[in-house]
């Protein structure tokens, strides 16, 4: 039997967090090897295990996978969270790309200059509530099912719940105008594997704070 997937990244959310979410939702136990110093990153680079000299990197099924999107789509396909046919996969991809765009804005917020943060936070809330959340609300309304695609849990649902919780950390009442998304959040949060991941003590990482920003800047020289 193959060992547990091993995740190589910093001790924070960043681009690895969606990978942690998807593995957890699939009920897959994983190990983490944290990059805590610039030297840790250089060692991985010098050992030749990073295809493009970048992390995230995940050791899974005898591969050292890099590139977040490639890792996520592999996990989704492996654990049957990627639809039943090409059309379902296309919808899952579209929904995931949308939530990825939204989460990217939130992910980079702590790294921005203080004088632009308030403006960018307002933009995130505006985009979430006028561009992204209405799409998912309409999808759920139009097909009247519990999940976004194929009436079955998929990567799109897991990704959307992660995005909703990230937006709510910025603005707790962000879902106030979206009753179907509120119900969706409750349903998906209560799936046993996801519920476990949302409990204290899981491998889910806390929101990025100034202390972690300083660590990341040091490791990646930014």
């Amino acid at each position: 039997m193959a060992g547990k997937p091993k995740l190589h990244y910093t001790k924070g959310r960043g681009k690895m967090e969606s990978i942690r979410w998807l593995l957890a939702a699939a009920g897959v136990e994983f190990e983490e090897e944290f990059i805590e110093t610039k030297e840790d990153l250089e060692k991985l680079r010098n050992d030749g295990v990073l295809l493009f000299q970048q992390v995230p990197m995940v050791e899974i099924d005898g591969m050292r996978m890099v590139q977040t999107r490639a890792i996520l789509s592999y996990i989704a396909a492996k654990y049957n969270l990627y639809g039943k046919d090409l059309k379902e996969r296309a919808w899952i991809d579209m929904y995931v790309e949308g939530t990825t765009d939204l989460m990217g804005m939130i992910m980079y917020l702590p790294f921005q200059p203080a004088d632009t943060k308030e403006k960018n936070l307002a933009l995130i809330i505006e985009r979430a509530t006028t561009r992204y959340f209405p799409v998912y609300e309409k999808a759920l309304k139009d097909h009247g099912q519990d999940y976004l695609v194929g009436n079955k849990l998929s990567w799109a649902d897991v990704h959307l719940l992660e995005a909703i919780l990230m937006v709510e950390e910025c603005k707790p009442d962000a879902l106030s105008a979206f009753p179907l998304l509120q119900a969706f959040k409750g349903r998906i949060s209560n799936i046993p594997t996801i519920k476990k991941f949302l409990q204290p003590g899981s491998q889910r990482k806390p929101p990025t704070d100034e202390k972690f920003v300083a660590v990341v800047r040091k490791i990646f020289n930014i």
Side-chain angles (χ1 to χ4, degrees):
M1 186 177 148
K4 295 176 185 175
K6 185 183 278 190
L7 282 48
H8 297 262
Y9 201 66
T10 56
K11 203 182 273 187
R13 287 185 182 177
K15 292 189 172 185
M16 186 66 91
E17 191 69 357
S18 292
I19 297 166
R20 296 183 186 111
W21 265 89
L22 198 57
L23 285 168
V28 179
E29 291 184 8
F30 57 89
E31 297 172 352
E32 299 192 79
E33 194 159 301
F34 295 116
I35 297 165
E36 300 189 71
T37 64
K38 198 173 176 179
E39 290 70 31
D40 291 342
L41 180 61
E42 282 307 310
K43 185 179 185 314
L44 283 175
R45 286 174 173 163
N46 293 335
D47 288 349
V49 298
L50 302 178
L51 192 62
F52 299 110
Q53 308 291 307
Q54 294 169 305
V55 288
M57 189 267 278
V58 174
E59 294 183 62
I60 184 170
D61 295 343
M63 296 184 289
R64 290 185 174 120
M65 292 195 72
V66 297
Q67 297 294 345
T68 311
R69 170 81 204 195
I71 297 165
L72 284 164
S73 56
Y74 180 83
I75 293 165
K78 180 179 169 74
Y79 294 105
N80 202 21
L81 294 167
Y82 211 174
K84 70 177 188 302
D85 55 31
L86 271 175
K87 279 192 177 178
E88 285 195 359
R89 188 167 290 199
W91 278 105
I92 289 166
D93 283 341
M94 285 192 280
Y95 289 145
V96 163
E97 290 298 325
T99 40
T100 298
D101 289 346
L102 176 58
M103 289 194 286
M105 294 172 73
I106 300 170
M107 202 184 298
Y108 293 116
L109 189 66
F111 294 88
Q112 292 166 354
D115 57 347
T116 64
K117 271 186 190 171
E118 202 170 317
K119 181 183 163 192
N120 287 324
L121 179 59
L123 178 65
I124 287 165
I125 302 306
E126 190 264 331
R127 288 273 169 86
T129 54
T130 65
R131 179 178 293 187
Y132 296 105
F133 288 171
V135 168
Y136 304 112
E137 184 80 4
K138 184 177 186 301
L140 292 166
K141 185 181 180 185
D142 286 352
H143 61 45
Q145 294 170 342
D146 287 348
Y147 304 102
L148 286 172
V149 179
N151 203 22
K152 179 178 181 294
L153 181 70
S154 76
W155 174 19
D157 301 303
V158 179
H159 217 52
L160 177 55
L161 178 61
E162 183 188 359
I164 286 170
L165 297 182
M166 285 174 76
V167 173
E168 287 185 332
E169 286 170 352
C170 300
K171 190 175 191 292
D173 65 348
L175 285 186
S176 58
F178 304 100
L180 297 180
L181 279 181
Q182 290 174 38
F184 171 89
K185 175 191 159 190
R187 275 196 308 277
I188 307 302
S189 297
N190 275 301
I191 291 168
T193 52
I194 293 174
K195 189 174 185 177
K196 184 180 175 187
F197 187 63
L198 291 172
Q199 300 304 310
S202 80
Q203 286 166 293
R204 187 182 179 214
K205 302 298 179 269
T208 299
D209 58 16
E210 285 180 21
K211 187 179 171 188
F212 182 66
V213 167
V215 170
V216 169
R217 287 193 190 282
K218 208 168 179 181
I219 293 170
F220 294 99
N221 222 6
I222 54 176

